[in-house]
Amino acid sequence: MTTKSSQDCSVAIGVNCFIRHNYHDHATVTMYSHLMSRASKIIVNDNCNSVENGQKHSGKGFMIRFPTELHMVLSIAENDGFDDIVSWQAHGRCFFVRKPREFVDKILSSYFGQSKIASFQRQLSMYGFLRLTQGPDRGCYYHELFLKHKLYLCQDITRTGVNGNVVKRRVDPKTEPDFYSMPFVAPDPELPEYLLRFIKKEEPNEPNNGEGSSNITF
C-alpha cells in the first residue's frame, strides 16, 4: 500500500507540476526610465547595507554577474563575427546556441571559465532562464528581463538558486510566449547629455584585475 501511494504521488507531481511561462514585456523600458526607477529605490533603501540584487563586490570595482556577462558575450559575438555559434534571435527576446560543441570550446572556456555546457545550463536555471520547446524559437533560452539592446535590465535579474533535491519539472508548452507576435526589440533613444555625463562620472576608475568570474576586457 505504501509503495502504491508513493507512486501515485510521484505520478501526480509529474503530471501537474509544470513550469508555466508568465511573460511580461519589458521591451518598452528605456535606460532613462530604468535609471529613474533604480534611483528611487536607492533613495528609499538608503540605509540598507546589503548589495542590491545579489551583485557581488570585488576588492576593486564590481564583479560582472552571469546575466550581464552573457549579454555582453552575445554583443561580442555579433560584432566579432562568431554569431554563427551563439546569437540573439531576430526579435531580440531570446538567444540560441547554434553550435554547442564550438560554443563549449571557444566561448565557455574563454568567457565563463567553464568546460561543460551542463554547467552553463545550470547557471541559466539559477537565474530563471527558460527554454522554449516549440516553434521557430525551439531550443532558445529567454528571460523577460534579458533583451537585446537593454543590457541595463540584467541588473534586475536575480539569482533564484537551485536545490539539488528538487524534481526537474516539465515545461507547459501551451504557455510558451510567441515572440514573433510581439514587436521586435529596438535600440533605445539617446540619453540626455547630462545623464551621459553623470554615468561617465560614476564609472569606476580602477580595473577589475581579473577578480570575479568574467574574462571580458573593455
Side-chain angles (χ1 to χ4, degrees):
M1 293 293 294
T2 304
T3 303
K4 186 177 185 299
S5 176
S6 298
Q7 289 175 344
D8 290 343
C9 181
S10 63
V11 170
I13 291 174
V15 171
N16 299 320
C17 192
F18 287 107
I19 295 175
R20 296 186 62 84
H21 299 259
N22 187 19
Y23 189 81
H24 299 89
D25 189 1
H26 298 270
T28 57
V29 176
T30 64
M31 183 180 286
Y32 177 80
S33 63
H34 186 257
L35 281 171
M36 295 300 100
S37 174
R38 288 181 67 84
S40 63
K41 291 177 183 178
I42 290 172
I43 293 172
V44 170
N45 298 297
D46 188 45
N47 295 323
C48 179
N49 294 321
S50 61
V51 180
E52 188 176 4
N53 287 337
Q55 179 139 15
K56 298 178 179 178
H57 284 282
S58 65
K60 299 176 180 179
F62 287 98
M63 294 182 185
I64 300 177
R65 297 166 65 247
F66 174 77
T68 301
E69 187 174 14
L70 176 58
H71 199 290
M72 295 168 69
V73 166
L74 289 170
S75 296
I76 293 171
E78 185 174 40
N79 295 332
D80 292 359
F82 54 89
D83 51 354
D84 59 317
I85 299 175
V86 60
S87 67
W88 292 102
Q89 291 290 78
H91 45 66
R93 295 177 183 271
C94 64
F95 73 95
F96 185 44
V97 179
R98 303 180 183 281
K99 298 179 180 178
R101 183 171 295 181
E102 292 185 37
F103 179 74
V104 171
D105 294 341
K106 298 182 179 180
I107 297 177
L108 277 190
S109 57
S110 298
Y111 294 100
F112 298 95
Q114 298 174 352
S115 59
K116 296 180 180 179
I117 198 165
S119 300
F120 176 73
Q121 291 169 333
R122 279 195 296 271
Q123 285 278 81
L124 291 172
S125 295
M126 289 168 66
Y127 282 95
F129 284 78
L130 294 176
R131 187 174 182 271
L132 298 167
T133 63
Q134 60 184 0
D137 291 329
R138 181 178 180 180
C140 294
Y141 288 91
Y142 82 92
H143 189 292
E144 64 181 44
L145 292 169
F146 193 78
L147 302 172
K148 187 176 183 180
H149 306 303
K150 298 183 182 294
L151 175 64
Y152 47 87
L153 289 182
C154 292
Q155 299 173 37
D156 296 330
I157 300 177
T158 57
R159 178 170 170 167
T160 59
V162 174
N163 187 330
N165 296 323
V166 174
V167 177
K168 186 176 181 180
R169 297 180 296 167
R170 294 186 297 170
V171 174
D172 183 0
K174 295 179 181 178
T175 63
E176 290 186 1
D178 177 11
F179 292 136
Y180 287 93
S181 67
M182 304 177 190
F184 284 20
V185 181
D188 283 357
E190 291 188 9
L191 286 173
E193 182 63 29
Y194 74 91
L195 277 178
L196 290 173
R197 289 198 301 269
F198 173 78
I199 294 170
K200 185 175 181 180
K201 182 179 179 181
E202 292 298 315
E203 288 178 350
N205 294 320
E206 295 184 86
N208 196 20
N209 292 332
E211 297 186 30
S213 61
S214 176
N215 293 320
I216 297 176
T217 56
F218 299 91

